């Protein structure tokens, strides 16, 4: 069985767990790790949730979805997860503009670790106070070739659309690689 | 009279039992394959320990046990040039940085750690020199050996057990096709998370241990617990000798073999559409 990997990242509470849960065929395995921060003088520990879910593609292949918190101090996790991944989804809570800056930082960092395709999911679009994707594109300073997609993480169809758009971007990247080689 | 030998023939458990029962005072020096460890005993109790490789200074130990931040560590280090551990300890206590208790406890933990490390050595020349005391300027502790011996033999039994469960590091691992129901409550350790991205029959345990910088024992522990948790299973590795662990991205995508790469992505697309 070949295993492929996609990473779902984004600020705390953006909807990563919900997103993975909507399409995973196994119950999302949420794990908690205790991390003691170097900076704190006292041994303060923080509990961090990580998720992983799975979609069996066929007899030979399974796609794993890894959810990882985006905070700066979990850099090391990103580095690990970005190893060999197909692409990643950055989930942003469209109702909380105060998290956009962080989302942007996460995006840049992840991008630096893994030059693989990614899309941005503007989550919680079912909420009244959700920002529109066009406005979010500007707030997040996304260039025009990066896709930002409406998303409601509880909806399987919505999550499917986001994953499909990411896969289309991966296809496009493959074409581009080929062009460079040729 | 010096007691000399190899841990291979006379185990650490036996040695510590001897030191404990005879209430010996002296220094045990053990030379491993790439490290030497020196342990001091007073009346059969652990007094002090140091390694050839690491920072054995009081500041170094306090930093390692996270009682000092990196900034404090650097600051103090720059200012205490030439000060002995005893002097520095007094200074830190007088300046209300720490209590005497804090300092002794953190030293004690460190010394026990160093001594415990010896339990994982299967080989190593040792020599016990009677009546050699720790360096004058070092702060010493008094720790009973009984618990250390007990804990150490438990560790050895675990190691033997792990070697039975995972006899070779040349095998591979893969995610199980149907994870058990218990995975939902799983909590992974940092080491386990480090290993997860490399779970692939293409990688041998030895290769995974190398890239994740885990020791032979640690990789065995991690794999054993992932197997116990029902997440991964051991398989014959399909790795080619000498090749480094490959990322889990399929080769034809990495190498830009367009048609194969595309057909693989199309398979995923079809599947996700059908969800
Ligand atoms: N209304 C709404 N709530 C959502 C959506 N996605 C997630 N949530 C809620 O937002 C909260 C945080 O989601 P969670 O998946 O735990 O966030 P995580 O920290 O990124 O894993 C939970 O209460 C979810 O039920 C969404 O699309 N719409
Ligand atoms: Mg979560």
């Amino acid at each position: 069985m070949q295993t492929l990997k996609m990473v779902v990242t984004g600020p705390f509470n953006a909807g990563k767990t919900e997103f993975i849960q909507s399409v995973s065929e196994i119950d999302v395995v949420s794990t908690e790790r205790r991390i003691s921060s170097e900076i704190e003088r006292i041994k303060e520990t923080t509990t961090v949730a990580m998720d992983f879910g799975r979609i069996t593609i066929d007899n030979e292949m399974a796609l794993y979805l890894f959810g990882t918190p985006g905070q700066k101090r979990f850099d090391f996790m990103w580095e690990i997860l970005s190893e060999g991944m197909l692409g990643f989804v950055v989930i942003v809570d469209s109702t909380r503009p105060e998290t956009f800056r962080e989302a942007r930082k996460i995006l840049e960092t992840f991008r630096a670790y893994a030059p693989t395709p990614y899309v941005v999911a503007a989550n919680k679009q079912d909420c009244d106070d959700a920002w529109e994707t066009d406005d979010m594109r500007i707030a997040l300073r996304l260039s025009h070739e990066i896709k930002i997609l409406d998303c409601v993480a509880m909806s399987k169809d919505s999550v499917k659309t986001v994953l499909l758009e990411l896969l289309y971007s991966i296809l496009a990247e493959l074409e581009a690689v080929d062009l460079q080689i040729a | 009279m010096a007691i000399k030998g190899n841990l291979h023939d006379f185990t650490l458990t036996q040695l510590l039992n001897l030191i404990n029962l005879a209430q010996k005072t002296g220094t045990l020096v053990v030379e491993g394959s790439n490290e030497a460890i020196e342990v001091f005993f007073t009346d059969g109790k652990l007094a002090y320990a140091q390694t050839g490789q690491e920072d054995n200074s009081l500041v170094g130990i306090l930093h390692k046990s996270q009682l000092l931040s990196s900034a404090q560590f650097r600051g103090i280090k720059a200012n205490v040039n030439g000060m002995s551990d005893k002097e520095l300890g007094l200074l830190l206590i007088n300046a209300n940085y720490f209590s005497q208790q804090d300092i002794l406890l953190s030293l004690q933990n460190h010394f026990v750690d160093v001594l415990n490390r010896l339990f994982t050595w299967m080989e190593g020349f040792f020599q016990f020199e009677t009546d050699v005391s720790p360096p004058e300027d070092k702060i010493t502790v008094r720790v009973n050996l009984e618990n250390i011996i007990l804990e150490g033999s438990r560790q050895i039994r675990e190691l033997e057990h792990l070697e039975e469960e995972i006899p070779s590091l040349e095998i591979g691992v893969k995610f199980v096709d149907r994870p058990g129901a218990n995975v939902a409550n799983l909590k992974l350790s940092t080491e386990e998370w480090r290993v997860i991205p490399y779970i692939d029959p293409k990688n041998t345990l030895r290769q995974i241990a190398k890239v994740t910088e885990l020791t032979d024992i640690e990789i065995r522990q991690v794999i054993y617990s992932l197997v116990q948790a029902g997440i991964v299973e051991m398989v014959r590795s399909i790795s080619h000798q000498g090749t480094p662990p490959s990322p889990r991205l399929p080769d034809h995508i990495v190498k830009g073999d367009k048609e194969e790469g595309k057909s693989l992505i199309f398979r995923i697309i079809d599947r996700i559409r059908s969800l």
Side-chain angles (χ1 to χ4, degrees):
Chain A
M1 181 83 90
Q2 183 169 30
T3 51
L4 302 168
K5 181 168 57 172
M6 280 185 186
V7 171
V8 178
T9 185
F12 174 71
N13 215 44
K16 299 179 292 293
T17 305
E18 199 78 55
F19 184 95
I20 295 177
Q21 185 67 74
S22 290
V23 285
S24 174
E25 65 205 18
I26 56 173
D27 268 350
V28 168
V29 182
S30 282
T31 60
E32 291 186 338
R33 351 186 3 252
R34 300 199 144 264
I35 292 184
S36 53
S37 160
E38 264 184 83
I39 308 146
E40 274 102 354
R41 203 169 314 150
I42 312 301
K43 289 167 273 173
E44 187 191 288
T45 55
T46 323
T47 305
V48 186
M50 308 283 214
D51 317 300
F52 83 99
R54 192 189 58 182
I55 302 169
T56 301
I57 305 301
D58 51 30
N59 291 336
E60 293 158 15
M61 221 176 6
L63 176 66
Y64 282 83
L65 297 174
F66 287 84
T68 174
Q71 287 96 324
K72 182 77 188 141
R73 55 209 183 108
F74 306 126
D75 272 15
F76 72 101
M77 265 330 299
W78 306 353
E79 193 168 3
I80 290 164
L81 287 175
S82 60
E83 176 91 29
M85 71 175 173
L86 281 174
F88 61 97
V89 179
V90 183
I91 307 223
V92 188
D93 184 339
S94 315
T95 67
R96 292 185 59 214
E98 66 272 26
T99 66
F100 291 175
R101 245 174 81 98
E102 194 196 339
R104 161 118 208 115
K105 267 197 246 153
I106 291 172
L107 214 146
E108 278 165 0
T109 313
F110 228 115
R111 179 84 194 156
Y113 280 123
T116 49
Y118 66 96
V119 296
V120 178
N123 195 32
K124 307 197 187 179
Q125 284 293 324
D126 56 322
C127 298
D128 287 341
D129 48 352
W131 280 43
E132 306 229 340
T133 46
D134 284 349
D135 297 332
M136 286 176 70
R137 177 185 291 285
I138 296 166
L140 291 167
R141 284 188 277 136
L142 295 179
S143 61
H144 65 277
E145 75 272 11
I146 303 299
K147 292 176 191 162
I148 176 162
L149 308 151
D150 278 0
C151 180
V152 178
M154 278 99 78
S155 148
K156 190 181 202 174
D157 281 333
S158 175
V159 172
K160 275 167 63 177
T161 307
V162 172
L163 292 179
L164 286 171
E165 287 298 337
L166 174 58
L167 287 160
Y168 300 149
S169 294
I170 295 167
L171 272 182
E173 195 103 335
L174 270 175
E175 296 279 0
V177 167
D178 207 56
L179 281 178
Q180 281 164 18
I181 289 170
Chain B
M1 192 198 78
I3 303 168
K4 287 189 210 174
N6 192 311
L7 290 181
H8 191 261
D9 313 311
F10 197 76
T11 66
L12 185 68
T13 313
Q14 288 174 299
L15 254 177
L16 294 182
N17 266 323
L18 175 72
I19 294 168
N20 181 40
L21 291 175
Q23 301 193 1
K24 286 189 173 297
T25 295
T27 310
L28 176 68
V29 182
V30 189
E31 283 169 41
S33 47
N34 42 30
E35 190 183 25
I37 287 181
E38 236 179 322
V39 191
F40 298 80
F41 301 88
T42 307
D43 304 329
K45 296 191 169 43
L46 170 64
Y48 181 81
Q50 63 185 17
T51 71
Q53 246 80 29
E54 284 156 50
D55 186 348
N56 294 296
S57 69
L58 177 61
V59 256
I61 294 166
L62 291 173
H63 178 226
K64 217 189 85 192
S65 54
Q66 293 184 325
L67 284 173
L68 288 177
S69 70
S70 295
Q72 289 173 319
F73 170 66
R74 281 191 302 272
I76 294 176
K77 211 157 170 134
N79 285 311
V80 298
N81 244 336
M83 199 182 278
S84 77
D85 276 3
K86 278 183 179 161
E87 289 167 329
L88 177 67
L90 269 178
L91 194 102
L92 290 173
I93 292 166
N94 287 336
N96 276 327
Y97 259 104
F98 302 110
S99 66
Q100 183 173 350
Q101 185 79 17
D102 287 339
I103 291 184
L104 287 179
L105 200 66
S106 118
L107 286 176
Q108 181 174 318
N109 289 339
H110 175 73
F111 299 156
V112 171
D113 271 357
V114 171
L115 178 54
N116 271 337
R117 224 176 290 168
L118 286 176
F119 279 104
T120 64
W121 292 16
M122 297 296 122
E123 293 263 345
F125 267 104
F126 67 79
Q127 174 156 2
F128 187 86
E129 298 236 35
T130 317
D131 294 331
V132 176
S133 329
E136 256 312 294
D137 58 327
K138 294 292 184 183
I139 302 171
T140 57
V141 298
R142 289 174 75 85
V143 189
N144 275 321
L145 290 183
E146 279 96 355
N147 278 329
I148 297 178
I149 295 170
L150 264 181
E151 185 51 43
S153 14
R154 205 171 295 144
Q155 228 176 307
I156 289 177
R157 272 201 304 278
E158 193 199 329
L159 180 61
E160 286 168 352
H161 170 69
L162 280 173
E163 280 179 344
E164 263 168 43
E165 295 287 340
I166 307 175
S168 158
L169 292 184
E170 301 311 325
I171 57 157
V173 272
K174 68 192 254 310
F175 285 114
V176 298
D177 294 338
R178 295 268 152 231
N182 55 339
V183 284
N185 299 318
L186 194 72
K187 294 207 183 2
L188 299 189
S189 68
T190 316
E191 284 74 29
E192 286 158 358
W193 270 108
R194 257 155 77 189
V195 166
I196 288 252
Y198 296 98
I199 301 290
D200 189 309
K202 282 202 218 102
N203 302 330
T204 64
L205 296 188
R206 191 175 302 288
Q207 289 171 321
I208 298 177
K210 190 148 184 248
V211 280
T212 53
E213 293 178 352
L214 294 176
T215 64
D216 287 6
I217 297 167
E218 286 165 340
I219 188 73
R220 281 190 162 94
Q221 280 167 337
V222 166
I223 296 300
Y224 183 65
S225 68
L226 291 176
V227 168
Q228 289 299 300
I231 298 182
V232 306
E233 59 193 4
M234 292 182 265
V235 290
R236 234 176 85 188
S237 171
I238 51 172
S239 156
H240 306 292
Q241 276 285 313
T243 49
S246 58
R248 300 212 323 247
L249 200 60
D251 276 355
H252 32 273
I253 289 190
V254 176
K255 292 188 192 132
D257 180 338
K258 184 164 137 189
E259 289 318 314
E260 262 187 85
K262 272 165 71 177
S263 97
L264 184 130
I265 301 297
F266 278 126
R267 273 155 77 192
I268 305 176
I269 289 176
D270 283 345
R271 174 68 181 117
I272 288 183
R273 281 198 183 126
S274 75
L275 282 177

